[in-house]
Amino acid sequence: AEKVLGYDLLSLCLEGPRDALDRTQHCQPAVFAPSPLSPQVVERCVAAAGYSVGEFAALVFAGALGFAEALYAVKVRAEAMQKASEAVPSGMLSVVGRREANYKFACLEARKHCESLGIENPVCTVSNYLFPDSRVIAGHLQALEFLQENARKYYFKRTKMLPVSGAFHTKLMEPAVEPLAEVLKSIEIQKPLLCVYSNVDGKKYMHSKHIQKLLVKQVVSPVLWEQTMHSVYERKQGTEFPYTYEVGPGNQLGAILKQCNLKAWKQYKHVDALEDEEAAET
């Protein structure tokens, strides 16, 4: 990873500084790099999915991408998204809503508010579908501030600004599309050895051109994680659920799975990359 990136990623992860690690250009490679699992798990695996940048790790795990090439693509993606973030004051707002919440209407009114402030072509849209009654809304900062101030009107129970530098998975990331498209054209992509589900439509990747196309589209499209969870765990009644492993920092995806499918979550385990290494050393 250090050779591909040109800096010491391990040291940045373990020692910081935190603000440098939180920057998009460093954060995405840091999430991606420790993710691939052991060969025994791969052999028994029936499906894989990755959240946002984690999709690259899922494709490496499934044999569709080589580690070094995927990491280079993540580097290009992260730097381009960082640059796009710096062009416009924007962000992401995590929302837990009541059943009555109408996210599209709320976003429409937030965009109208931005227009009244003189902002041209304002962006405010759902960028991540997490679980029933939970979304991430992304766009211009003024739109997100408007939604926080009017949370009760839109039946939002909780709102929280996410510690990210931009409106990922919206059209504000369009400047990042071309650099990623170019690098993906130069990388050899194989058909995955197992089912990998796309964030863009919640369906299985079919072939290498499909992967290339949707990885680019993913940058400006909402992450359909809730829909992906339903696709992954769809099975006939009475069929047992597989074991589910979350690999990467934190166990947020496990918490989301619990809300989407309680039966599947009962077979869930979080795998910590550092704990694995320590176990191997002892």
Side-chain angles (χ1 to χ4, degrees):
E2 191 175 339
K3 282 179 188 170
V4 173
L5 297 170
Y7 59 86
D8 186 346
L9 182 64
L10 182 62
S11 159
L12 185 61
C13 287
L14 296 178
E15 297 160 23
R18 180 62 190 257
D19 59 343
L21 186 58
D22 281 345
R23 284 176 68 81
T24 302
Q25 68 194 73
H26 298 137
C27 181
Q28 290 188 20
V31 169
F32 165 83
S35 295
L37 281 166
S38 68
Q40 301 94 305
V41 178
V42 182
E43 284 163 19
R44 294 199 298 270
C45 190
V46 290
Y51 186 93
S52 191
V53 71
E55 200 157 283
F56 286 84
L59 288 162
V60 170
F61 171 77
L65 297 172
F67 176 81
E69 291 91 341
L71 180 57
Y72 181 67
V74 167
K75 176 181 187 281
V76 169
R77 178 186 188 269
E79 287 170 356
M81 287 171 77
Q82 177 78 43
K83 199 172 174 185
S85 300
E86 288 164 2
V88 178
S90 58
M92 302 181 84
L93 181 72
S94 174
V95 176
V96 176
R98 300 187 189 282
R99 287 289 156 95
E100 311 94 306
N102 186 329
Y103 303 95
K104 283 187 179 175
F105 177 67
C107 289
L108 174 67
E109 293 218 321
R111 289 196 297 273
K112 283 183 179 171
H113 168 72
C114 286
E115 283 169 357
S116 75
L117 298 176
I119 297 168
E120 287 183 25
N121 304 315
V123 172
C124 182
T125 185
V126 173
S127 63
N128 305 70
Y129 291 81
L130 301 178
F131 55 85
D133 305 320
S134 179
R135 308 277 187 274
V136 175
I137 294 173
H140 282 81
L141 275 183
Q142 295 90 332
L144 304 182
E145 286 161 1
F146 172 83
L147 290 178
Q148 281 191 296
E149 285 162 17
N150 294 278
R152 288 183 68 180
K153 177 185 174 183
Y154 300 117
Y155 300 102
F156 295 168
K157 283 195 286 190
R158 282 203 311 275
T159 62
K160 184 186 174 187
M161 287 296 293
L162 297 180
V164 294
S165 53
F168 304 148
H169 305 291
T170 71
K171 64 183 181 183
L172 287 176
M173 289 295 114
E174 272 171 5
V177 164
E178 196 53 41
L180 180 60
E182 283 303 309
V183 75
L184 286 172
K185 278 179 200 166
S186 68
I187 289 174
E188 192 179 346
I189 303 175
Q190 308 286 343
K191 188 179 178 188
L193 300 171
L194 51 97
C195 297
V196 181
Y197 288 79
S198 165
N199 287 182
V200 172
D201 57 11
K203 295 175 183 171
K204 297 170 192 171
Y205 279 116
M206 304 309 291
H207 48 74
S208 55
K209 283 277 181 228
H210 193 212
I211 292 170
Q212 186 182 324
K213 181 183 169 186
L214 291 192
L215 280 180
V216 174
K217 197 175 176 184
Q218 190 230 55
V219 172
V220 289
S221 303
V223 173
L224 305 185
W225 192 255
E226 182 185 341
Q227 295 85 333
T228 302
M229 290 296 93
H230 293 317
S231 297
V232 169
Y233 296 104
E234 190 179 7
R235 52 210 355 94
K236 287 176 187 166
Q237 206 161 0
T239 310
E240 279 193 20
F241 285 99
Y243 285 98
T244 298
Y245 297 94
E246 177 178 359
V247 189
N251 55 5
Q252 294 93 329
L253 299 183
I256 291 172
L257 177 59
K258 189 176 182 181
Q259 298 289 335
C260 289
N261 191 322
L262 187 60
K263 285 183 179 174
W265 175 79
K266 285 175 180 172
Q267 304 272 50
Y268 159 88
K269 185 186 175 194
H270 177 249
V271 179
D272 189 299
L274 284 176
E275 278 177 16
D276 268 14
E277 281 187 18
E278 284 163 15
E281 283 165 14
T282 54

